[in-house]
Amino acid sequence: MSFPGSTWEQESRGAFYGDNGANNAISVGFPGKVNVWLDLEGISSEVSAEAVIQYCTNWYNAIAGAGYLPGLYVGANSILNSQQLYDLPFQHYWHSESTVPPGAVRSYKMVQYYVAELVNGIGIDQDITYIDNDGGVPQWLILS
């Protein structure tokens, strides 16, 4: 993910990609009230934290506005610290296999681990869900 340009451009881009994500989820019949995740990683050190915060916030608003529960996958080089991540509007956090900031207050609901085993010749990361410090869990398909 690249973040060139001004904070205003990030506001616009976050909303644009959030709207696209929501529209794609709707078009394939993805049910509401479940997690849709933003992959936050690989941010250039030249990008300001404020630009990343604006992008994430506007992406969150677009996804939430469509009836989904926005989640944040925190990967390598996300450039935000624990407090900045916690101050975002997200309630759902997913810790990548990479070295990332610890979860401030809330903690991570999902953690990714490297698994050396191959399944049919393909390496697959293991993701384990947890109850976070606020009692929350990832929200998947709800059957009624």
Side-chain angles (χ1 to χ4, degrees):
M1 178 181 307
S2 62
F3 285 83
S6 68
T7 300
W8 178 85
E9 289 169 328
Q10 297 321 313
E11 291 178 17
S12 159
R13 188 170 291 150
F16 174 79
Y17 285 120
D19 286 340
N20 281 343
N23 289 334
N24 287 334
I26 291 166
S27 73
V28 299
F30 199 64
K33 298 183 182 175
V34 297
N35 286 127
V36 173
W37 297 90
L38 170 60
D39 182 1
L40 183 65
E41 61 185 320
I43 309 301
S44 168
S45 60
E46 297 175 10
V47 175
S48 72
E50 182 58 33
V52 175
I53 290 166
Q54 288 299 318
Y55 180 96
C56 291
T57 300
N58 286 288
W59 185 93
Y60 174 96
N61 289 337
I63 295 295
Y68 296 103
L69 301 175
L72 187 65
Y73 174 86
V74 182
N77 302 319
S78 64
I79 80 166
L80 300 181
N81 64 36
S82 293
Q83 190 61 50
Q84 289 167 321
L85 289 167
Y86 178 72
D87 289 342
L88 291 169
F90 293 86
Q91 293 82 45
H92 304 272
Y93 293 90
W94 181 357
H95 184 300
S96 76
E97 174 193 338
S98 307
T99 301
V100 300
V105 183
R106 180 174 288 282
S107 73
Y108 290 96
K109 291 183 179 174
M110 195 156 36
V111 178
Q112 183 179 71
Y113 299 95
Y114 174 74
V115 176
E117 294 180 33
L118 298 179
V119 176
N120 296 323
I122 300 170
I124 299 176
D125 294 325
Q126 181 180 35
D127 295 286
I128 299 176
T129 60
Y130 296 93
I131 298 171
D132 72 13
N133 292 338
D134 283 347
V137 296
Q139 298 298 303
W140 306 109
L141 181 62
I142 300 170
L143 301 174
S144 54

